[in-house]
Amino acid sequence: VILSKTWRVYYIFNNPNLKKKAIKDWMLFIVVIVVVAIDIFINFLGTAIPKSQLEAIKIRDREHRTSVSDDGISENNFVFVCTMNDSVIWLGVSFAYKGLLQIVAIFLAFHIRKVKIKA
């Protein structure tokens, strides 16, 4: 949201044609929806494309020890782990997108820091 508002200020005050440009709030809402949709799409691809496998790994759980119920049934604790082969690649793509957004935000903030409004 802050990125879209910063973009609006940059767009208005860095206009070489000196025309009045009005950017409505619904346009900012569309910008936010597009940014979030791209992030959701990257995360969806990162979970849908690689083959995830659910594995049961038996480890000694120090918090929940094996217990025996009143009926004499032994209760064992397992840890389920979801593993992916290419998770590092998708994390890299997601972080690269978020880094790009940060670079754009820094650029816009740097350029609008000297904006002066006549009051």
Side-chain angles (χ1 to χ4, degrees):
V1 175
I2 298 296
L3 180 63
S4 64
K5 288 183 178 183
T6 307
W7 171 73
R8 173 167 53 182
V9 173
Y10 176 79
Y11 188 75
I12 291 171
F13 287 101
N14 287 329
N15 184 5
N17 298 333
L18 295 175
K19 293 181 183 177
K20 284 193 170 185
K21 294 184 179 181
I23 298 176
K24 305 291 183 192
D25 289 338
W26 63 269
M27 291 180 188
L28 296 180
F29 187 67
I30 290 174
V31 170
V32 170
I33 288 175
V34 167
V35 168
V36 171
I38 292 171
D39 195 25
I40 289 172
F41 183 71
I42 289 171
N43 288 327
F44 175 75
L45 286 181
T47 56
I49 290 179
K51 294 181 180 179
S52 301
Q53 298 174 350
L54 186 62
E55 299 176 4
I57 300 174
K58 186 174 182 179
I59 62 171
R60 177 180 280 177
D61 193 358
R62 294 183 181 181
E63 290 184 27
H64 305 97
R65 297 192 184 266
T66 303
S67 61
V68 178
S69 66
D70 295 335
D71 300 332
I73 298 173
S74 176
E75 296 177 359
N76 295 321
N77 295 311
F78 295 94
V79 176
F80 289 95
V81 179
C82 185
T83 60
M84 291 190 314
N85 296 333
D86 300 328
S87 65
V88 174
I89 294 171
W90 291 106
L91 281 175
V93 170
S94 180
F95 287 148
Y97 175 67
K98 289 172 183 16
L100 179 67
L101 288 177
Q102 288 290 323
I103 290 171
V104 169
I106 290 169
F107 171 79
L108 293 175
F110 182 76
H111 282 285
I112 67 167
R113 65 190 167 118
K114 295 181 181 178
V115 170
K116 294 181 182 176
I117 301 172
K118 295 178 184 177

